[in-house]
Amino acid sequence: MRAARPALALLSWLLLCSPFAAQAQGADLPDTPAGRCAAAYLGAFNGGEEAALRGFFEACMVKDFPARRPLKDAVATTQGIRAQTGRLTLERVSAASDTLLGLILKTERGEWVELSFRLSAREPGRFEGIRFDEADPPESDEVRPETLSGLPGAVSALLKSRWETGEFSGVVLAAVGDRVVVHECAGLADRAFMVPVAKDTKFNLGSINKLFTRIAVAQLAEKGRLSLDDTVGKLLPDYPNPEVAAKVTVRHLLDFTSGMGDFFGEKFEATPKDRLRDNHDYLPLFAADPLLFEPGTSRRYSNAGYVVLGLIVERVSGRSYYDYVRENVFGPAGMTDTDSYEADVPVSNLAEGYTREWGKAEHAGEPPRSNVYSRPARGSSAGGGYSTAPDLLKFAGALKAGRLLGPGFTRWVLGGPEPGRAESGPSEPEPPNLGVAGGAPGINAFLAMEGDFVVISLANLDPPSAGSVGRKVLGWLRDAGEGAGIPVRPAEGEPKGAPPPGAGAR
């Protein structure tokens, strides 16, 4: 889906490590192994040369890196991010602990990013991961809550301020374990009737639905109904594109390495949105398109691929995609306010989307308009369903507790290696870490799980409305939690629904 503006990969991770010592230009980094490693990474990133990046990864990655991500993918993704950001200049250190080093940097294009380094506990001196994320400009006068008890007031003030400036309309929920520490909302769910946002308002999730699709596929794989090595043609014998049917596997579709593209474009714009109500309805928008690259040789965000995954779920399970996830994901998690609702069917307590991405430049500054003409009548397995903040908290709890998948596939969904493919790795499961997001005109959603922390931010405005607030609240929660002695771990999200550099998500 088209994003409101070109965006960095939300919660996009590269697994690596760094024993090198180096200095970053203008950097004020801690004189620690992590600080020196971070400086070395910034030097390699800003240089941008394939050989230098490859050498860095070869010398620094943790031992189970190949089981998690091919080296060529890590290098290519790094270069892709650098192509978007240009050189990075360090502004300040946002977090520094035994497990996490966070940096706020300015891109060559004048945008702000946060770079988070996760240190390996099992391989001292090495990095487990690096996350790129969008960031707000540094605010010198910002008052950060120092305790968990101070979070509700700070978040309430933040949402009120951003609603008044037109930057946010939605709900934020933050929890530590089963304890909700923040649940605040601001803005209007329906501007025509002046209906305020409630704490249980249903919001469009955009591409967070991809995570539900991923879990559905994992459930079927766990039961032996399919293999991640199965081709599209094996599972969908009547698939209309012979090249895709023969070459693309389920794993390719899940990991955005299929070579398939998107279904948003001229065909989508010309299609009456009321005709898009089922996964099969999306096929004419992309099925005839040739592959953009040989499957497995590169990575490109693909809504089309996740539509095909939805069709596979239907064929293998014998149920419609919507029925399957309702019965096997939402049901076991207790998510009674989550579904893919049709746009012309009245649904109580549902937020209408509002966008400024309409018309021509001369309309800049005018109030946002309904996004009804930019979204399908019903979402697909690639995105567009609805949920509430309380339901997403239930989902996070069910996933972590193993009520949706067995231990191996639960760990895989939460960023670990695929069951059966990693021979070396940690003997004990790591704390759950996951980050996903979705965004489109009038739609923005953010979900992060970091150990015991869960942060949910939902908005009915253009990106980065929810993501910007969610990231800020997550940073506050980390700081307050660390002060309370709660372990802090950064989330691992890509490719669970968040777009890669420059891509949007619906």
Side-chain angles (χ1 to χ4, degrees), residues 27 310 343 379 412 456 485 503:
W412 174 67
I456 298 155

mmCIF file with all atom_site columns, all heavy atoms in Angstrom, residues 27 310 343 379 412 456 485 503:
data_model
loop_
_atom_site.group_PDB
_atom_site.id
_atom_site.type_symbol
_atom_site.label_atom_id
_atom_site.label_alt_id
_atom_site.label_comp_id
_atom_site.label_asym_id
_atom_site.label_entity_id
_atom_site.label_seq_id
_atom_site.pdbx_PDB_ins_code
_atom_site.Cartn_x
_atom_site.Cartn_y
_atom_site.Cartn_z
_atom_site.occupancy
_atom_site.B_iso_or_equiv
_atom_site.pdbx_formal_charge
_atom_site.auth_seq_id
_atom_site.auth_comp_id
_atom_site.auth_asym_id
_atom_site.auth_atom_id
_atom_site.pdbx_PDB_model_num
ATOM 1  N N   . ALA A 1 27  ? 30.945  11.625  16.281 1.00 0.00 ? 27  ALA A N   1
ATOM 2  C CA  . ALA A 1 27  ? 30.192  10.793  17.208 1.00 0.00 ? 27  ALA A CA  1
ATOM 3  C C   . ALA A 1 27  ? 30.628  11.052  18.639 1.00 0.00 ? 27  ALA A C   1
ATOM 4  O O   . ALA A 1 27  ? 31.780  11.354  18.916 1.00 0.00 ? 27  ALA A O   1
ATOM 5  C CB  . ALA A 1 27  ? 30.384  9.326   16.865 1.00 0.00 ? 27  ALA A CB  1
ATOM 6  N N   . GLY A 1 310 ? -2.783  -16.189 1.415  1.00 0.00 ? 310 GLY A N   1
ATOM 7  C CA  . GLY A 1 310 ? -4.164  -16.334 1.849  1.00 0.00 ? 310 GLY A CA  1
ATOM 8  C C   . GLY A 1 310 ? -4.915  -17.370 1.031  1.00 0.00 ? 310 GLY A C   1
ATOM 9  O O   . GLY A 1 310 ? -5.710  -18.158 1.571  1.00 0.00 ? 310 GLY A O   1
ATOM 10 N N   . ALA A 1 343 ? -16.667 -2.615  4.008  1.00 0.00 ? 343 ALA A N   1
ATOM 11 C CA  . ALA A 1 343 ? -16.826 -1.175  4.170  1.00 0.00 ? 343 ALA A CA  1
ATOM 12 C C   . ALA A 1 343 ? -18.275 -0.718  4.151  1.00 0.00 ? 343 ALA A C   1
ATOM 13 O O   . ALA A 1 343 ? -18.611 0.310   4.757  1.00 0.00 ? 343 ALA A O   1
ATOM 14 C CB  . ALA A 1 343 ? -16.037 -0.444  3.076  1.00 0.00 ? 343 ALA A CB  1
ATOM 15 N N   . GLY A 1 379 ? -10.531 -5.950  3.414  1.00 0.00 ? 379 GLY A N   1
ATOM 16 C CA  . GLY A 1 379 ? -9.113  -6.251  3.404  1.00 0.00 ? 379 GLY A CA  1
ATOM 17 C C   . GLY A 1 379 ? -8.831  -7.660  2.929  1.00 0.00 ? 379 GLY A C   1
ATOM 18 O O   . GLY A 1 379 ? -9.740  -8.473  2.727  1.00 0.00 ? 379 GLY A O   1
ATOM 19 N N   . TRP A 1 412 ? 9.905   -18.921 15.999 1.00 0.00 ? 412 TRP A N   1
ATOM 20 C CA  . TRP A 1 412 ? 10.142  -18.457 14.626 1.00 0.00 ? 412 TRP A CA  1
ATOM 21 C C   . TRP A 1 412 ? 9.364   -17.173 14.345 1.00 0.00 ? 412 TRP A C   1
ATOM 22 O O   . TRP A 1 412 ? 9.917   -16.212 13.817 1.00 0.00 ? 412 TRP A O   1
ATOM 23 C CB  . TRP A 1 412 ? 9.740   -19.564 13.655 1.00 0.00 ? 412 TRP A CB  1
ATOM 24 C CG  . TRP A 1 412 ? 9.777   -19.210 12.209 1.00 0.00 ? 412 TRP A CG  1
ATOM 25 C CD1 . TRP A 1 412 ? 10.877  -18.916 11.460 1.00 0.00 ? 412 TRP A CD1 1
ATOM 26 C CD2 . TRP A 1 412 ? 8.656   -19.119 11.329 1.00 0.00 ? 412 TRP A CD2 1
ATOM 27 N NE1 . TRP A 1 412 ? 10.512  -18.666 10.157 1.00 0.00 ? 412 TRP A NE1 1
ATOM 28 C CE2 . TRP A 1 412 ? 9.152   -18.783 10.053 1.00 0.00 ? 412 TRP A CE2 1
ATOM 29 C CE3 . TRP A 1 412 ? 7.287   -19.317 11.488 1.00 0.00 ? 412 TRP A CE3 1
ATOM 30 C CZ2 . TRP A 1 412 ? 8.334   -18.612 8.954  1.00 0.00 ? 412 TRP A CZ2 1
ATOM 31 C CZ3 . TRP A 1 412 ? 6.465   -19.153 10.387 1.00 0.00 ? 412 TRP A CZ3 1
ATOM 32 C CH2 . TRP A 1 412 ? 6.976   -18.800 9.144  1.00 0.00 ? 412 TRP A CH2 1
ATOM 33 N N   . ILE A 1 456 ? 1.112   -0.705  21.897 1.00 0.00 ? 456 ILE A N   1
ATOM 34 C CA  . ILE A 1 456 ? 0.177   -0.700  20.775 1.00 0.00 ? 456 ILE A CA  1
ATOM 35 C C   . ILE A 1 456 ? -0.246  0.737   20.524 1.00 0.00 ? 456 ILE A C   1
ATOM 36 O O   . ILE A 1 456 ? -0.633  1.447   21.457 1.00 0.00 ? 456 ILE A O   1
ATOM 37 C CB  . ILE A 1 456 ? -1.061  -1.563  21.088 1.00 0.00 ? 456 ILE A CB  1
ATOM 38 C CG1 . ILE A 1 456 ? -0.656  -3.032  21.311 1.00 0.00 ? 456 ILE A CG1 1
ATOM 39 C CG2 . ILE A 1 456 ? -2.103  -1.451  19.973 1.00 0.00 ? 456 ILE A CG2 1
ATOM 40 C CD1 . ILE A 1 456 ? -1.622  -3.793  22.174 1.00 0.00 ? 456 ILE A CD1 1
ATOM 41 N N   . GLY A 1 485 ? 14.033  -1.947  37.071 1.00 0.00 ? 485 GLY A N   1
ATOM 42 C CA  . GLY A 1 485 ? 14.713  -3.235  37.060 1.00 0.00 ? 485 GLY A CA  1
ATOM 43 C C   . GLY A 1 485 ? 14.127  -4.252  36.113 1.00 0.00 ? 485 GLY A C   1
ATOM 44 O O   . GLY A 1 485 ? 14.396  -5.441  36.237 1.00 0.00 ? 485 GLY A O   1
ATOM 45 N N   . ALA A 1 503 ? 8.905   1.328   1.010  1.00 0.00 ? 503 ALA A N   1
ATOM 46 C CA  . ALA A 1 503 ? 7.644   0.667   0.699  1.00 0.00 ? 503 ALA A CA  1
ATOM 47 C C   . ALA A 1 503 ? 6.560   1.100   1.657  1.00 0.00 ? 503 ALA A C   1
ATOM 48 O O   . ALA A 1 503 ? 6.833   1.503   2.774  1.00 0.00 ? 503 ALA A O   1
ATOM 49 C CB  . ALA A 1 503 ? 7.796   -0.843  0.758  1.00 0.00 ? 503 ALA A CB  1
#
